[in-house]
Amino acid sequence: MNSKYKQLLQPFQFENGVQLKNRIVMAPMTNFSSNEDGTVTKAETDYYSRRSGGPGMVITACAYVTPSGKGFPGEFGSDIDDMIPSLKQLAESIKEKGAKAIMQIFHGGRMVPAELVPGGNVVSASDVPAEQGHPSGEAPVPRALTIDEIHSIIDDFGESTRRAIQAGFDGVEIHGANGYLIQQFVSPHSNRREDEFGGSLEKRLAFPLAVVDSVKKAAAEFGDKNFLVGYRFSPEEPETPGITMEDTLALVDALKEKNLDYLHISLMEYWSAPRRGIDDTRSRLEIIQERIGDSVPLIGVGSIYTPEDAVKAMNTGVPLIALGRELIIDPDWVQKIEEGREDKIETRLDKQAQDRLVVPDPLWQAIINTPGWFPVKE
């Protein structure tokens, strides 16, 4: 192994004693490949197994915690106990290769396609449609959740955590990023409520913090001290009014007090700079890492393809680096570094290599038919 990459392969220990074999994490990525009933397919377990021999930790695609939160065709579910055997197969496919298995849990809120949820009933913090990025093209106007429904969804996150524990996962990641329901409560664009869950920034943070409490309570009740709980967030959003860096730093300050095992930022570009809300020219990730300090580990992510990219990213002080697209392009990324074969790492997708890369057909078709999403070998 080349000594300049040594820091990427150092073991990492969480505060609760759980150890990862290295600093590389597989980022959560939707793969559109589950059965219609929300159970996991063999194509998915094969896909995860193929990528779980290198990273220290693998975070799965998101699992909906209740049917009203299903955000993608071919998304797997964690909403009922009948899903536990299916989830167990997924956890085992990751763990048997030596990685820790983390299940991401999620509710899509106003970003779900109406045809995927019962009765076409799209819900959110308020009845404000998404401005951009809705998978249906024209965004539906969501129905504002009632207080009772909000509390029910908070409980659903806890129940999904219990199922993850019973399925043998090593942890869960709360999906509070990418414009989905938890972020919708934080955002002044999607949350226009005037009750305990909206209005001031403090009240807009009430829902995500209650979800964290629900998940932590389930982890304590049904798991052991080794069960990991992480939280993923997006630092900003483009809408006006929308989440600013100032809002995100307040969220981070609140999450620091929750005794989480890690925080995970969601970025397409590691070095992207703030849009608004703060007078600082550094990257968002560096600003957030400084704010967090040593209080909780931060996972950095965003267009990291080469070992040099990863080392440069780690030099910002972030202890863990997540790879998403790159582990689809080259599932043996970590092993090639370990073996001193980093010159053999592929950083552009070979469009003829679906079978070799073990990528399920729905995900492969999405990649091939979305120009610009992946760097492609011409």
Side-chain angles (χ1 to χ4, degrees), residues 194-307:
E194 295 179 351
D195 57 19
E196 67 211 77
F197 289 104
S200 66
L201 175 58
E202 183 180 7
K203 288 183 175 179
R204 297 200 313 271
L205 296 182
F207 179 74
L209 297 178
V211 169
V212 171
D213 289 343
S214 177
V215 168
K216 293 280 292 180
K217 181 182 177 189
E221 185 174 348
F222 299 103
D224 58 32
K225 72 178 183 67
N226 294 325
F227 190 78
L228 298 168
V229 177
Y231 186 104
R232 195 174 204 205
F233 62 96
S234 295
E236 292 182 273
E237 59 183 7
E239 289 85 0
T240 302
I243 294 170
T244 66
M245 279 297 295
E246 186 177 20
D247 296 334
T248 291
L249 293 176
L251 170 65
V252 164
D253 287 344
L255 292 172
K256 276 164 50 176
E257 304 303 314
K258 289 296 183 182
N259 198 29
L260 289 157
D261 294 294
Y262 70 85
L263 297 179
H264 184 186
I265 198 165
S266 180
L267 290 170
M268 281 294 284
E269 296 292 337
Y270 192 96
W271 300 99
S272 62
R275 281 192 184 94
R276 59 191 174 186
I278 189 170
D279 185 19
D280 197 321
T281 57
R282 292 176 298 163
S283 70
R284 295 153 161 164
L285 215 145
E286 290 170 290
I287 294 164
I288 289 165
Q289 175 59 49
E290 180 181 80
R291 188 66 162 245
I292 290 169
D294 295 329
S295 60
V296 58
L298 179 65
I299 302 177
V301 71
S303 298
I304 294 168
Y305 293 101
T306 67

Side-chain angles (χ1 to χ4, degrees), residues 78 87 93 113 137 149 162 164 212 294 296 308 362 365:
S78 62
L87 297 173
S93 73
E149 287 172 325
R162 171 181 62 79
V212 171
D294 295 329
V296 58
E308 288 81 5
Q365 293 304 320

